[in-house]
Amino acid sequence: MQLIYSPIEILNSMKRSIDQEKISKNALSVISKLNKEGFEAYLVGGCIRDLLADNVPKDFDIATNAHPSDIRQIFRNSRIVGKRFQIVHVRFEREIIEVSTFRRLDTKVIENQSDSGMILRDNSFGSLEEDSLRRDFGINAIYYNPISKQLIDLQGGVDDISRKVIKSIGPIDLRLREDPVRMLRAIRISEKLEFELENDIKESIRIEAHLIQDVSPARLFEESLKMFMGGYGARVFLKLKELDVYKWMFPNNGSPVKESNLELLIRKALESTDQRVLRDMPITPTFIYAAILWYPFLAERSRNIKEMGLNNYDASNEAASSVLSKQQLITSIPRRFSTPIKDIWFLQFRLNFRSGKKPFRTLQHKRFRASYDFLLIREAAGEKTGDLGDWWTAYQAASDEERQNFQKFARKKPHTSGFRK
Ligand code: ATP
Ligand code: MG
Protein backbone atom coordinates (compact mmCIF):
# COMPACT_ATOMS: atom_id res chain seq x y z
CA MET A 1 0.00 0.00 0.00
CA GLN A 2 1.23 3.44 -0.86
CA LEU A 3 1.62 5.64 2.18
CA ILE A 4 3.22 8.85 1.06
CA TYR A 5 1.67 10.85 -1.75
CA SER A 6 2.28 14.10 -3.56
CA PRO A 7 -0.83 16.21 -4.22
CA ILE A 8 -0.64 15.44 -7.95
CA GLU A 9 -1.07 11.77 -7.17
CA ILE A 10 -4.06 12.50 -4.93
CA LEU A 11 -5.54 14.53 -7.73
CA ASN A 12 -5.14 11.57 -10.06
CA SER A 13 -6.41 8.89 -7.73
CA MET A 14 -9.27 10.83 -6.10
CA LYS A 15 -10.04 13.33 -8.83
CA ARG A 16 -9.45 16.09 -6.32
CA SER A 17 -6.62 17.63 -4.37
CA ILE A 18 -6.00 19.92 -1.45
CA ASP A 19 -6.86 23.48 -2.31
CA GLN A 20 -3.93 25.41 -0.88
CA GLU A 21 -6.01 28.59 -0.89
CA LYS A 22 -8.37 27.15 1.71
CA ILE A 23 -5.59 26.56 4.24
CA SER A 24 -5.34 29.08 7.05
CA LYS A 25 -2.39 31.44 6.64
CA ASN A 26 -1.79 31.25 10.37
CA ALA A 27 -1.53 27.46 10.23
CA LEU A 28 0.94 27.77 7.36
CA SER A 29 3.08 30.16 9.35
CA VAL A 30 3.08 27.87 12.41
CA ILE A 31 4.21 24.91 10.31
CA SER A 32 6.84 26.97 8.54
CA LYS A 33 8.28 28.21 11.84
CA LEU A 34 8.35 24.72 13.36
CA ASN A 35 10.10 23.39 10.24
CA LYS A 36 12.68 26.18 10.41
CA GLU A 37 13.40 25.23 14.01
CA GLY A 38 14.10 21.71 12.79
CA PHE A 39 10.82 20.01 13.79
CA GLU A 40 8.40 17.98 11.72
CA ALA A 41 4.91 19.49 11.53
CA TYR A 42 1.74 18.54 9.67
CA LEU A 43 -1.85 19.54 9.36
CA VAL A 44 -3.90 16.59 10.53
CA GLY A 45 -7.44 15.56 11.43
CA GLY A 46 -10.65 17.29 10.44
CA CYS A 47 -9.04 19.98 8.28
CA ILE A 48 -7.32 17.57 5.89
CA ARG A 49 -10.33 15.23 5.92
CA ASP A 50 -12.66 18.11 5.06
CA LEU A 51 -10.37 19.56 2.38
CA LEU A 52 -10.07 16.17 0.66
CA ALA A 53 -13.84 15.64 0.95
CA ASP A 54 -14.54 19.07 -0.56
CA ASN A 55 -15.84 20.50 2.67
CA VAL A 56 -14.91 23.68 4.50
CA PRO A 57 -12.60 22.95 7.45
CA LYS A 58 -13.76 24.25 10.81
CA ASP A 59 -10.35 24.56 12.42
CA PHE A 60 -6.75 23.68 11.65
CA ASP A 61 -4.94 21.25 13.92
CA ILE A 62 -1.22 20.64 13.73
CA ALA A 63 0.77 17.61 14.89
CA THR A 64 4.49 17.85 15.45
CA ASN A 65 7.45 16.07 17.04
CA ALA A 66 8.21 19.23 19.04
CA HIS A 67 7.31 18.90 22.72
CA PRO A 68 4.85 21.32 24.35
CA SER A 69 7.69 23.23 26.03
CA ASP A 70 9.53 23.59 22.67
CA ILE A 71 6.39 24.88 21.01
CA ARG A 72 5.75 27.24 23.86
CA GLN A 73 9.25 28.69 23.44
CA ILE A 74 8.99 29.12 19.67
CA PHE A 75 5.68 31.00 19.77
CA ARG A 76 5.40 33.93 22.12
CA ASN A 77 1.63 34.07 21.51
CA SER A 78 1.06 30.56 22.86
CA ARG A 79 0.00 28.71 25.98
CA ILE A 80 -0.16 25.12 27.12
CA VAL A 81 -3.68 23.83 27.80
CA GLY A 82 -5.34 20.54 28.70
CA LYS A 83 -4.99 17.93 31.39
CA ARG A 84 -6.01 14.72 29.69
CA PHE A 85 -3.47 15.62 27.13
CA GLN A 86 -1.41 18.73 26.86
CA ILE A 87 -1.69 20.77 23.71
CA VAL A 88 -0.43 24.21 22.82
CA HIS A 89 -2.73 26.96 21.64
CA VAL A 90 -1.01 29.42 19.33
CA ARG A 91 -3.13 32.55 19.35
CA PHE A 92 -3.69 34.87 16.45
CA GLU A 93 -6.06 37.79 16.20
CA ARG A 94 -9.04 35.80 14.96
CA GLU A 95 -7.90 32.22 15.23
CA ILE A 96 -6.36 29.72 17.59
CA ILE A 97 -4.20 27.03 16.05
CA GLU A 98 -3.97 23.86 18.14
CA VAL A 99 -0.58 22.25 18.09
CA SER A 100 -0.17 18.80 19.61
CA THR A 101 2.85 16.62 20.04
CA PHE A 102 2.86 13.13 18.42
CA ARG A 103 1.53 10.69 21.00
CA ARG A 104 1.38 7.02 21.49
CA LEU A 105 -1.32 5.01 23.16
CA ASP A 106 -0.14 3.69 26.48
CA THR A 107 -2.79 1.03 27.08
CA LYS A 108 -0.46 -1.05 29.24
CA VAL A 109 -0.43 1.55 31.97
CA ILE A 110 -3.37 0.34 34.01
CA GLU A 111 -3.70 3.42 36.20
CA ASN A 112 -4.42 5.43 33.07
CA GLN A 113 -7.67 3.55 32.50
CA SER A 114 -11.02 3.34 34.26
CA ASP A 115 -12.74 0.02 35.03
CA SER A 116 -14.62 0.06 31.72
CA GLY A 117 -11.37 0.64 29.81
CA MET A 118 -11.77 4.38 29.38
CA ILE A 119 -8.50 6.23 28.87
CA LEU A 120 -8.09 8.85 31.57
CA ARG A 121 -4.61 10.14 30.77
CA ASP A 122 -2.93 10.14 27.40
CA ASN A 123 0.32 12.00 27.57
CA SER A 124 3.07 9.70 26.33
CA PHE A 125 4.88 11.18 23.37
CA GLY A 126 5.60 9.04 20.32
CA SER A 127 6.32 8.94 16.59
CA LEU A 128 4.07 10.01 13.73
CA GLU A 129 3.14 6.38 13.15
CA GLU A 130 2.20 5.87 16.82
CA ASP A 131 0.28 9.13 16.71
CA SER A 132 -1.73 7.93 13.73
CA LEU A 133 -2.67 4.74 15.61
CA ARG A 134 -4.27 6.58 18.50
CA ARG A 135 -6.55 8.66 16.29
CA ASP A 136 -10.11 7.47 15.91
CA PHE A 137 -10.82 6.93 12.22
CA GLY A 138 -8.72 6.45 9.09
CA ILE A 139 -10.11 9.64 7.53
CA ASN A 140 -8.90 11.62 10.57
CA ALA A 141 -5.34 10.31 10.43
CA ILE A 142 -4.03 11.88 7.23
CA TYR A 143 -1.02 14.15 7.71
CA TYR A 144 -0.16 16.90 5.26
CA ASN A 145 2.69 19.37 5.17
CA PRO A 146 1.44 22.28 3.05
CA ILE A 147 4.97 23.62 2.56
CA SER A 148 6.77 20.51 1.36
CA LYS A 149 3.41 19.30 -0.06
CA GLN A 150 3.96 15.88 1.42
CA LEU A 151 0.94 13.82 2.44
CA ILE A 152 1.33 10.83 4.78
CA ASP A 153 -1.47 8.29 5.03
CA LEU A 154 -0.58 5.34 7.25
CA GLN A 155 -4.17 4.27 8.04
CA GLY A 156 -5.76 4.13 4.61
CA GLY A 157 -7.67 7.37 5.10
CA VAL A 158 -7.25 8.58 1.51
CA ASP A 159 -8.84 5.40 0.23
CA ASP A 160 -11.68 5.69 2.78
CA ILE A 161 -12.38 9.26 1.68
CA SER A 162 -12.57 8.28 -1.95
CA ARG A 163 -14.95 5.44 -1.04
CA LYS A 164 -16.86 7.69 1.39
CA VAL A 165 -16.60 5.34 4.34
CA ILE A 166 -15.62 5.75 7.96
CA LYS A 167 -13.43 2.97 9.31
CA SER A 168 -12.01 2.56 12.77
CA ILE A 169 -8.30 2.43 13.47
CA GLY A 170 -8.01 -0.80 15.46
CA PRO A 171 -10.88 -2.89 16.89
CA ILE A 172 -13.87 -0.59 17.16
CA ASP A 173 -15.32 -2.06 20.37
CA LEU A 174 -12.03 -1.45 22.17
CA ARG A 175 -11.74 2.06 20.72
CA LEU A 176 -15.28 2.92 21.87
CA ARG A 177 -14.59 1.63 25.34
CA GLU A 178 -11.39 3.71 25.53
CA ASP A 179 -13.41 6.79 24.69
CA PRO A 180 -17.19 6.55 24.24
CA VAL A 181 -17.30 10.05 22.71
CA ARG A 182 -15.96 8.39 19.56
CA MET A 183 -19.50 7.09 18.97
CA LEU A 184 -20.77 10.64 18.79
CA ARG A 185 -17.85 11.69 16.61
CA ALA A 186 -18.49 8.80 14.21
CA ILE A 187 -22.16 9.75 13.88
CA ARG A 188 -21.48 13.47 13.56
CA ILE A 189 -18.72 13.14 10.99
CA SER A 190 -20.65 10.61 8.90
CA GLU A 191 -23.65 12.96 8.72
CA LYS A 192 -21.47 15.98 8.07
CA LEU A 193 -19.70 14.39 5.11
CA GLU A 194 -22.48 12.00 4.14
CA PHE A 195 -20.10 9.08 4.52
CA GLU A 196 -21.18 5.54 5.46
CA LEU A 197 -20.24 4.09 8.83
CA GLU A 198 -18.77 0.62 8.43
CA ASN A 199 -21.17 -2.03 9.68
CA ASP A 200 -18.99 -3.07 12.59
CA ILE A 201 -18.99 0.54 13.80
CA LYS A 202 -22.78 0.65 13.75
CA GLU A 203 -23.06 -2.67 15.56
CA SER A 204 -20.55 -1.71 18.23
CA ILE A 205 -22.21 1.64 18.82
CA ARG A 206 -25.53 -0.14 19.48
CA ILE A 207 -23.84 -2.46 21.96
CA GLU A 208 -21.67 0.10 23.75
CA ALA A 209 -24.09 3.07 23.70
CA HIS A 210 -24.64 2.78 27.47
CA LEU A 211 -21.01 3.84 28.04
CA ILE A 212 -22.11 7.38 27.24
CA GLN A 213 -23.08 7.47 30.94
CA ASP A 214 -19.40 7.46 31.88
CA VAL A 215 -18.53 10.61 29.94
CA SER A 216 -18.29 13.89 31.83
CA PRO A 217 -21.34 16.17 31.47
CA ALA A 218 -19.16 19.08 30.35
CA ARG A 219 -17.71 17.08 27.47
CA LEU A 220 -21.12 15.72 26.47
CA PHE A 221 -22.59 19.20 26.38
CA GLU A 222 -19.75 20.37 24.12
CA GLU A 223 -20.31 17.36 21.87
CA SER A 224 -24.05 18.00 21.75
CA LEU A 225 -23.34 21.49 20.41
CA LYS A 226 -21.08 20.11 17.71
CA MET A 227 -23.70 17.52 16.76
CA PHE A 228 -26.68 19.86 16.62
CA MET A 229 -25.27 23.19 15.55
CA GLY A 230 -23.20 22.28 12.49
CA GLY A 231 -26.01 22.55 9.93
CA TYR A 232 -26.86 18.84 9.81
CA GLY A 233 -28.39 18.42 13.27
CA ALA A 234 -31.65 16.83 12.11
CA ARG A 235 -29.75 14.02 10.39
CA VAL A 236 -27.49 13.51 13.41
CA PHE A 237 -30.60 13.24 15.59
CA LEU A 238 -32.09 10.50 13.41
CA LYS A 239 -28.81 8.59 13.42
CA LEU A 240 -28.49 8.89 17.21
CA LYS A 241 -31.98 7.40 17.45
CA GLU A 242 -31.29 4.68 14.91
CA LEU A 243 -28.18 3.54 16.76
CA ASP A 244 -29.81 3.70 20.22
CA VAL A 245 -27.46 6.38 21.51
CA TYR A 246 -30.00 9.16 21.89
CA LYS A 247 -31.73 7.79 24.98
CA TRP A 248 -28.47 7.79 26.91
CA MET A 249 -27.96 11.48 26.27
CA PHE A 250 -31.57 12.56 26.55
CA PRO A 251 -33.67 10.08 28.51
CA ASN A 252 -37.36 10.79 28.08
CA ASN A 253 -38.17 11.38 31.71
CA GLY A 254 -41.68 10.06 31.77
CA SER A 255 -43.28 12.24 29.11
CA PRO A 256 -46.62 10.62 28.17
CA VAL A 257 -46.52 12.18 24.69
CA LYS A 258 -46.22 9.60 21.94
CA GLU A 259 -42.61 8.96 20.90
CA SER A 260 -43.43 10.06 17.35
CA ASN A 261 -44.75 13.46 18.49
CA LEU A 262 -41.77 13.98 20.71
CA GLU A 263 -39.45 13.18 17.83
CA LEU A 264 -41.28 15.41 15.42
CA LEU A 265 -40.88 18.49 17.62
CA ILE A 266 -37.15 17.92 18.05
CA ARG A 267 -36.72 17.24 14.35
CA LYS A 268 -38.57 20.42 13.42
CA ALA A 269 -36.43 22.48 15.83
CA LEU A 270 -33.26 20.95 14.40
CA GLU A 271 -34.40 21.40 10.79
CA SER A 272 -35.08 25.04 11.49
CA THR A 273 -31.61 25.38 13.07
CA ASP A 274 -30.04 23.67 10.05
CA GLN A 275 -31.80 26.12 7.74
CA ARG A 276 -30.50 29.03 9.75
CA VAL A 277 -26.93 27.71 9.59
CA LEU A 278 -27.30 27.43 5.83
CA ARG A 279 -28.40 31.05 5.64
CA ASP A 280 -25.69 32.25 8.04
CA MET A 281 -28.25 33.34 10.63
CA PRO A 282 -27.47 33.28 14.37
CA ILE A 283 -28.34 30.07 16.23
CA THR A 284 -28.39 29.07 19.87
CA PRO A 285 -28.44 25.81 21.83
CA THR A 286 -31.28 27.32 23.89
CA PHE A 287 -33.83 26.62 21.22
CA ILE A 288 -32.71 23.04 20.68
CA TYR A 289 -32.60 22.15 24.36
CA ALA A 290 -35.99 23.85 24.86
CA ALA A 291 -37.43 21.51 22.20
CA ILE A 292 -35.72 18.37 23.48
CA LEU A 293 -37.05 18.91 27.00
CA TRP A 294 -40.43 20.53 26.25
CA TYR A 295 -42.64 17.45 26.71
CA PRO A 296 -40.81 16.16 29.78
CA PHE A 297 -41.30 19.68 31.18
CA LEU A 298 -45.03 19.70 30.34
CA ALA A 299 -45.48 16.25 31.84
CA GLU A 300 -43.78 17.24 35.08
CA ARG A 301 -45.74 20.48 35.21
CA SER A 302 -49.08 18.74 34.91
CA ARG A 303 -48.06 16.21 37.57
CA ASN A 304 -47.24 19.13 39.84
CA ILE A 305 -50.70 20.57 39.29
CA LYS A 306 -52.69 17.32 39.50
CA GLU A 307 -50.79 15.40 42.11
CA MET A 308 -49.10 18.09 44.19
CA GLY A 309 -51.88 20.68 43.94
CA LEU A 310 -49.45 23.45 42.94
CA ASN A 311 -50.70 26.54 41.14
CA ASN A 312 -49.68 27.05 37.49
CA TYR A 313 -46.87 29.39 38.30
CA ASP A 314 -45.22 27.20 40.94
CA ALA A 315 -45.87 24.07 38.91
CA SER A 316 -43.99 25.58 35.94
CA ASN A 317 -41.08 26.79 38.03
CA GLU A 318 -40.66 23.55 39.85
CA ALA A 319 -40.99 21.45 36.69
CA ALA A 320 -38.48 23.56 34.74
CA SER A 321 -35.89 23.34 37.52
CA SER A 322 -36.36 19.64 38.01
CA VAL A 323 -36.26 18.70 34.30
CA LEU A 324 -33.21 20.88 33.68
CA SER A 325 -31.33 19.61 36.71
CA LYS A 326 -31.93 15.99 35.68
CA GLN A 327 -30.52 16.78 32.24
CA GLN A 328 -27.54 18.62 33.77
CA LEU A 329 -26.38 15.33 35.24
CA ILE A 330 -25.77 14.15 31.66
CA THR A 331 -25.05 17.29 29.64
CA SER A 332 -24.08 20.26 31.79
CA ILE A 333 -26.11 23.12 30.33
CA PRO A 334 -24.52 26.42 31.39
CA ARG A 335 -26.77 28.94 33.09
CA ARG A 336 -26.56 31.36 30.18
CA PHE A 337 -28.59 28.78 28.25
CA SER A 338 -30.79 27.28 30.95
CA THR A 339 -32.29 30.63 31.99
CA PRO A 340 -33.51 31.48 28.47
CA ILE A 341 -34.84 27.92 28.07
CA LYS A 342 -37.12 28.58 31.04
CA ASP A 343 -38.15 31.93 29.55
CA ILE A 344 -39.13 30.29 26.27
CA TRP A 345 -41.18 27.66 28.11
CA PHE A 346 -42.96 30.09 30.43
CA LEU A 347 -43.76 32.43 27.55
CA GLN A 348 -45.60 29.60 25.78
CA PHE A 349 -48.35 29.99 28.37
CA ARG A 350 -48.37 33.77 28.13
CA LEU A 351 -48.77 33.55 24.36
CA ASN A 352 -52.21 32.08 25.01
CA PHE A 353 -53.48 35.40 26.35
CA ARG A 354 -54.70 37.55 23.52
CA SER A 355 -56.90 40.10 25.27
CA GLY A 356 -56.33 43.21 27.35
CA LYS A 357 -52.82 44.56 27.74
CA LYS A 358 -51.25 41.13 28.00
CA PRO A 359 -50.34 40.55 24.34
CA PHE A 360 -48.63 43.92 24.16
CA ARG A 361 -46.55 43.12 27.23
CA THR A 362 -45.69 39.69 25.88
CA LEU A 363 -44.48 41.32 22.68
CA GLN A 364 -42.09 43.51 24.71
CA HIS A 365 -40.44 40.53 26.38
CA LYS A 366 -36.82 40.15 25.30
CA ARG A 367 -37.41 36.47 24.58
CA PHE A 368 -40.62 37.06 22.60
CA ARG A 369 -39.08 36.33 19.21
CA ALA A 370 -37.57 33.01 20.28
CA SER A 371 -40.83 32.06 21.99
CA TYR A 372 -42.88 32.90 18.93
CA ASP A 373 -40.50 30.81 16.78
CA PHE A 374 -40.88 28.01 19.31
CA LEU A 375 -44.67 28.25 19.10
CA LEU A 376 -44.47 27.86 15.32
CA ILE A 377 -42.27 24.79 15.75
CA ARG A 378 -44.81 23.28 18.16
CA GLU A 379 -47.52 23.85 15.58
CA ALA A 380 -45.41 22.43 12.78
CA ALA A 381 -45.00 19.35 14.96
CA GLY A 382 -48.78 18.93 15.19
CA GLU A 383 -49.68 20.61 18.48
CA LYS A 384 -53.16 22.11 18.38
CA THR A 385 -52.94 25.69 19.59
CA GLY A 386 -56.03 27.19 17.96
CA ASP A 387 -54.09 29.05 15.24
CA LEU A 388 -52.18 30.94 17.87
CA GLY A 389 -49.16 31.22 15.58
CA ASP A 390 -51.19 32.94 12.85
CA TRP A 391 -52.67 35.29 15.40
CA TRP A 392 -49.24 36.36 16.65
CA THR A 393 -47.89 36.68 13.12
CA ALA A 394 -50.71 39.10 12.30
CA TYR A 395 -50.43 40.88 15.65
CA GLN A 396 -46.75 41.61 15.09
CA ALA A 397 -47.37 42.92 11.59
CA ALA A 398 -50.23 45.20 12.73
CA SER A 399 -49.92 48.89 13.60
CA ASP A 400 -50.65 50.06 17.17
CA GLU A 401 -54.11 51.16 16.11
CA GLU A 402 -54.89 47.88 14.43
CA ARG A 403 -53.72 46.07 17.53
CA GLN A 404 -56.58 47.66 19.50
CA ASN A 405 -59.00 45.98 17.11
CA PHE A 406 -57.31 42.64 17.58
CA GLN A 407 -58.97 42.49 20.95
CA LYS A 408 -62.27 41.85 19.22
CA PHE A 409 -60.94 38.67 17.76
CA ALA A 410 -59.20 37.54 20.85
CA ARG A 411 -60.65 34.36 22.25
CA LYS A 412 -62.04 34.45 25.73
CA LYS A 413 -60.59 31.14 26.79
CA PRO A 414 -56.95 30.46 26.10
CA HIS A 415 -56.03 27.04 24.83
CA THR A 416 -53.94 24.88 27.03
CA SER A 417 -50.70 23.56 25.58
CA GLY A 418 -50.32 20.07 24.29
CA PHE A 419 -52.10 17.67 22.01
CA ARG A 420 -55.84 17.51 22.11
CA LYS A 421 -57.07 13.99 22.40
P1 ATP B 1 -14.03 18.97 13.53
O1 ATP B 1 -12.92 19.87 13.99
O2 ATP B 1 -14.45 19.17 12.13
O3 ATP B 1 -15.17 18.95 14.47
P2 ATP B 1 -12.09 16.93 13.98
O4 ATP B 1 -12.01 15.49 13.57
O5 ATP B 1 -11.00 17.81 13.50
O6 ATP B 1 -13.51 17.45 13.57
P3 ATP B 1 -11.16 17.69 16.57
O7 ATP B 1 -11.83 17.59 17.89
O8 ATP B 1 -10.72 19.00 16.06
O9 ATP B 1 -12.16 16.99 15.54
O10 ATP B 1 -9.92 16.67 16.63
C1 ATP B 1 -8.83 16.72 15.74
C2 ATP B 1 -8.30 15.30 15.48
O11 ATP B 1 -7.87 14.70 16.70
C3 ATP B 1 -9.31 14.33 14.91
O12 ATP B 1 -9.47 14.43 13.54
C4 ATP B 1 -8.71 13.00 15.32
O13 ATP B 1 -7.62 12.64 14.51
C5 ATP B 1 -8.18 13.32 16.70
N1 ATP B 1 -9.21 13.07 17.73
C6 ATP B 1 -10.09 13.96 18.25
N2 ATP B 1 -10.87 13.40 19.17
C7 ATP B 1 -10.49 12.12 19.26
C8 ATP B 1 -10.89 11.02 20.04
N3 ATP B 1 -11.89 11.14 20.92
N4 ATP B 1 -10.26 9.83 19.86
C9 ATP B 1 -9.25 9.70 18.97
N5 ATP B 1 -8.83 10.70 18.20
C10 ATP B 1 -9.42 11.90 18.33
MG1 MG C 1 -10.68 19.88 14.06
Side-chain angles (χ1 to χ4, degrees), residues 45-46 49 58-59 61 135-136 140 179 182 185 188:
R49 173 196 76 212
K58 207 177 72 215
D59 45 35
D61 298 319
R135 291 181 183 270
D136 45 8
N140 286 342
D179 182 3
R182 290 175 185 149
R185 290 179 48 81
R188 168 167 67 86

Side-chain angles (χ1 to χ4, degrees), residues 109-383:
V109 185
I110 295 300
E111 65 264 30
N112 281 354
Q113 284 182 280
S114 73
D115 293 343
S116 64
M118 193 155 78
I119 308 263
L120 304 175
R121 268 177 300 277
D122 187 5
N123 246 335
S124 320
F125 300 129
S127 64
L128 184 149
E129 183 175 4
E130 287 168 322
D131 189 80
S132 75
L133 284 168
R134 59 160 271 280
R135 291 181 183 270
D136 45 8
F137 308 110
I139 59 171
N140 286 342
I142 306 170
Y143 298 72
Y144 179 65
N145 181 323
I147 294 159
S148 68
K149 309 254 184 338
Q150 187 185 38
L151 185 140
I152 302 176
D153 174 28
L154 304 179
Q155 306 302 333
V158 170
D159 198 38
D160 294 349
I161 290 179
S162 56
R163 295 196 301 120
K164 294 180 183 267
V165 291
I166 298 185
K167 284 192 195 171
S168 165
I169 297 173
I172 183 67
D173 47 349
L174 177 77
R175 302 307 311 275
L176 296 185
R177 283 199 292 273
E178 280 170 6
D179 182 3
V181 166
R182 290 175 185 149
M183 302 180 207
L184 308 179
R185 290 179 48 81
I187 291 172
R188 168 167 67 86
I189 296 166
S190 82
E191 293 310 323
K192 176 180 180 177
L193 302 179
E194 301 189 46
F195 279 19
E196 266 304 305
L197 289 173
E198 268 212 326
N199 281 336
D200 63 338
I201 299 189
K202 288 195 211 160
E203 274 164 35
S204 287
I205 290 180
R206 280 206 183 89
I207 295 167
E208 308 293 354
H210 63 101
L211 294 175
I212 288 293
Q213 296 169 100
D214 300 342
V215 181
S216 82
R219 200 160 165 230
L220 278 188
F221 180 73
E222 283 304 313
E223 258 332 290
S224 75
L225 299 190
K226 290 188 188 170
M227 290 191 297
F228 294 144
M229 317 249 310
Y232 38 88
R235 294 206 309 268
V236 169
F237 168 68
L238 293 178
K239 201 44 138 317
L240 288 170
K241 281 264 170 184
E242 182 195 324
L243 298 180
D244 289 338
V245 180
Y246 187 80
K247 64 173 186 234
W248 298 105
M249 289 193 75
F250 305 102
N252 172 12
N253 293 311
S255 161
V257 172
K258 273 202 305 211
E259 196 64 22
S260 57
N261 292 125
L262 208 137
E263 255 186 63
L264 195 56
L265 180 79
I266 299 167
R267 243 185 53 212
K268 292 283 174 196
L270 288 168
E271 280 166 5
S272 139
T273 304
D274 292 345
Q275 284 298 319
R276 293 176 69 96
V277 173
L278 207 68
R279 293 192 215 125
D280 257 340
M281 291 160 75
I283 52 164
T284 157
T286 302
F287 200 72
I288 297 165
Y289 270 85
I292 290 176
L293 300 172
W294 170 241
Y295 291 121
F297 160 70
L298 279 188
E300 182 88 19
R301 180 179 181 273
S302 79
R303 267 195 300 276
N304 287 342
I305 294 170
K306 289 194 193 117
E307 290 165 27
M308 315 277 288
L310 297 185
N311 64 35
N312 289 352
Y313 180 84
D314 290 342
S316 288
N317 267 321
E318 198 285 328
S321 301
S322 129
V323 165
L324 283 165
S325 54
K326 267 185 221 147
Q327 185 60 40
Q328 309 267 21
L329 298 174
I330 311 174
T331 56
S332 61
I333 309 164
R335 197 178 293 270
R336 67 178 184 284
F337 300 126
S338 60
T339 307
I341 291 173
K342 289 183 185 176
D343 286 343
I344 290 180
W345 286 344
F346 298 164
L347 274 162
Q348 297 310 300
F349 301 100
R350 274 175 59 179
L351 288 170
N352 285 322
F353 295 101
R354 302 183 230 181
S355 56
K357 288 205 167 52
K358 279 184 178 159
F360 185 71
R361 268 195 238 122
T362 305
L363 196 62
Q364 305 299 311
H365 196 286
K366 68 173 171 187
R367 226 75 79 181
F368 168 77
R369 184 68 213 193
S371 306
Y372 162 74
D373 288 343
F374 193 71
L375 169 67
L376 298 186
I377 295 287
R378 285 169 52 211
E379 291 183 342
E383 264 193 62

Side-chain angles (χ1 to χ4, degrees), residues 100-111:
S100 44
T101 308
F102 295 148
R103 285 193 179 73
R104 78 189 135 85
L105 237 189
D106 220 348
T107 41
K108 284 180 219 86
V109 185
I110 295 300
E111 65 264 30

Side-chain angles (χ1 to χ4, degrees), residues 1-160:
M1 189 181 31
Q2 186 177 5
L3 304 176
I4 300 181
Y5 299 82
S6 76
I8 300 298
E9 287 169 309
I10 310 168
L11 186 70
N12 290 342
S13 68
M14 297 179 68
K15 305 211 171 20
R16 57 171 69 106
S17 101
I18 292 173
D19 184 351
Q20 199 82 5
E21 286 300 308
K22 290 193 183 144
I23 297 176
S24 143
K25 301 284 168 288
N26 296 327
L28 284 174
S29 89
V30 171
I31 292 182
S32 153
K33 246 184 172 164
L34 283 165
N35 286 168
K36 279 193 190 119
E37 296 289 333
F39 296 107
E40 284 178 63
Y42 302 88
L43 290 170
V44 66
C47 58
I48 294 304
R49 173 196 76 212
D50 290 351
L51 284 171
L52 286 170
D54 258 345
N55 237 280
V56 185
K58 207 177 72 215
D59 45 35
F60 289 84
D61 298 319
I62 291 173
T64 175
N65 61 353
H67 283 195
S69 54
D70 302 325
I71 308 166
R72 178 70 199 85
Q73 268 187 359
I74 296 171
F75 301 97
R76 271 198 303 144
N77 50 335
S78 69
R79 66 192 181 99
I80 297 177
V81 295
K83 262 193 228 143
R84 185 164 169 266
F85 47 74
Q86 284 193 334
I87 50 178
V88 183
H89 278 175
V90 184
R91 289 175 167 275
F92 294 88
E93 210 170 304
R94 283 157 198 265
E95 192 180 13
I96 292 176
I97 304 288
E98 273 190 17
V99 187
S100 44
T101 308
F102 295 148
R103 285 193 179 73
R104 78 189 135 85
L105 237 189
D106 220 348
T107 41
K108 284 180 219 86
V109 185
I110 295 300
E111 65 264 30
N112 281 354
Q113 284 182 280
S114 73
D115 293 343
S116 64
M118 193 155 78
I119 308 263
L120 304 175
R121 268 177 300 277
D122 187 5
N123 246 335
S124 320
F125 300 129
S127 64
L128 184 149
E129 183 175 4
E130 287 168 322
D131 189 80
S132 75
L133 284 168
R134 59 160 271 280
R135 291 181 183 270
D136 45 8
F137 308 110
I139 59 171
N140 286 342
I142 306 170
Y143 298 72
Y144 179 65
N145 181 323
I147 294 159
S148 68
K149 309 254 184 338
Q150 187 185 38
L151 185 140
I152 302 176
D153 174 28
L154 304 179
Q155 306 302 333
V158 170
D159 198 38
D160 294 349

